[in-house]
Amino acid sequence: MTSEELHAVGVGRRPADAAVSARANRRWWDHDADSYHAEHGTFLGTSDFVWCPERLREADARLLGEVAGKRVLEVGCGSAMCSRWLAGQGALPVAFDVSGGMLRHARAGAEQSGVAVPLVQADAQQLPFATDTLALASTAFGAVPFVADSARVMREVARVLRPGSRWVFSASHPIRWIFPDDPGPDGLTASIPYFDRTPYVEFDADGEPTYVEHHRTIGDRVREIVGAGFRLVDLVEPEWPADLTDTWGQWSPLRGALLPGTAIYVCELD
Ligand SMILES: C[S@@+](CC[C@H](N)C(=O)[O-])C[C@H]1O[C@@H](n2cnc3c(N)ncnc32)[C@H](O)[C@@H]1O
């Protein structure tokens, strides 16, 4: 599904509160689930854990530490291929997503791979899990950029994790916010203020948002992480591999050679 099929007629920076963001994004991901997997399914695989378009794999990076025997929460899991990889490593994952369309692909992935993990439909801002019950949490580009109150997501993840647990999440690198979302040369000219947190919104003819993305500066994100009780252990900025010629949306070899595209936050609860 493209924005045309959702009848988006415009793009801009507009306020979008929690309810507006939630409505737009659930609708977007439900509609986009099929085309997202048609376009990126081969890259994502059915049981692989890839952090970002730069193709950093958890099998190589080991940002989660030891996973065997641990109850792991995958936030904004999409088709849950990361959870199936974790299950293959001896972890006990539970995967959740706000979108029924994405979870349909998670069930299809389970059938295809023969590896089923528990799936839950939930919003990352209000987790239906008990306090202090999980040992690890992660997401590759899930939930965090799409919610109006990402500090609340950090607090919710902190609540369900036991002391000493890790929370590792990847998202677009905040520096990308200042450039147009274009993989080509037009995506190299800074034109949007880094300090403008007004959300990116696509909207239909009635002005109804069809897609919303929220920006946080690096400082904002660190304050959210620390404010929820985590320590920031590492901030990984994967480099574009010299032999990677594929483009993924606004990520391309051209831009990857010049700019970071992804930030991976490695956090730990005391
Ligand atoms: C870019 S996709 C990433 C999915 C998967 N991790 C992957 O790498 O393909 C973003 C995912 O976040 C989910 N999402 C967006 N807002 C959410 C929320 N508030 N709570 C839970 N999941 C959310 C979307 O439904 C979508 O599946």
Side-chain angles (χ1 to χ4, degrees):
M1 187 65 63
T2 65
S3 15
E4 284 79 22
E5 288 165 282
L6 269 181
H7 308 297
V9 296
V11 170
R13 311 278 155 163
R14 298 179 164 194
D17 65 14
V20 166
S21 303
R23 192 168 57 241
N25 281 324
R26 186 166 170 171
R27 193 167 147 227
W28 167 264
W29 288 106
D30 280 349
H31 278 88
D32 194 53
D34 290 347
S35 67
Y36 180 84
H37 287 92
E39 191 178 348
H40 303 301
T42 307
F43 175 104
L44 294 168
T46 54
S47 306
D48 200 359
F49 193 142
V50 187
W51 282 107
C52 50
E54 292 85 355
R55 288 213 169 140
L56 184 69
R57 288 190 152 76
E58 176 57 13
D60 301 318
R62 297 286 170 186
L63 301 178
L64 298 176
E66 184 54 65
V67 300
K70 289 190 176 168
R71 292 193 68 205
V72 187
L73 183 65
E74 187 183 3
V75 175
C77 63
S79 51
M81 58 283 167
C82 299
S83 283
R84 284 190 291 277
W85 182 85
L86 286 163
Q89 304 294 304
L92 307 166
V94 52
F96 80 91
D97 201 285
V98 77
S99 159
M102 293 301 259
L103 290 173
R104 189 165 35 79
H105 281 269
R107 287 193 294 278
E111 272 169 36
Q112 253 178 288
S113 62
V115 180
V117 299
L119 300 173
V120 176
Q121 186 165 13
D123 189 316
Q125 293 166 103
Q126 202 166 6
L127 297 180
F129 301 103
T131 300
D132 269 6
T133 48
L134 297 153
L136 195 57
S138 68
T139 184
F141 279 81
V144 175
F146 306 108
V147 299
D149 189 356
S150 47
R152 184 166 169 192
V153 174
M154 303 297 147
R155 289 196 299 275
E156 274 294 89
V157 173
R159 179 182 65 75
V160 301
L161 288 177
R162 291 202 294 262
S165 303
R166 269 190 178 196
W167 158 226
V168 186
F169 64 97
S170 61
S172 296
H173 197 290
I175 199 66
R176 288 278 168 125
W177 187 255
I178 71 174
F179 301 98
D181 240 1
D182 189 317
D186 287 349
L188 296 177
T189 304
S191 56
I192 301 146
Y194 178 73
F195 295 107
D196 183 358
R197 280 86 161 178
T198 314
Y200 168 91
V201 177
E202 296 177 6
F203 47 89
D204 65 18
D206 299 324
E208 176 74 21
T210 55
Y211 178 89
V212 177
E213 211 171 306
H214 292 266
H215 168 59
R216 296 288 181 276
T217 66
I218 286 272
D220 293 340
R221 194 64 87 204
V222 170
R223 280 185 290 278
E224 287 182 349
I225 290 167
V226 173
F230 290 103
R231 273 179 300 113
L232 182 63
V233 179
D234 199 358
L235 174 51
V236 179
E237 298 167 296
E239 294 189 31
W240 193 270
D243 60 350
L244 182 56
T245 54
D246 294 355
T247 290
W248 172 310
Q250 49 110 339
W251 284 263
S252 62
L254 174 74
R255 300 181 90 204
L258 297 167
L259 291 167
T262 298
I264 310 177
Y265 304 83
V266 183
C267 316
E268 231 167 57
L269 266 189
D270 282 329

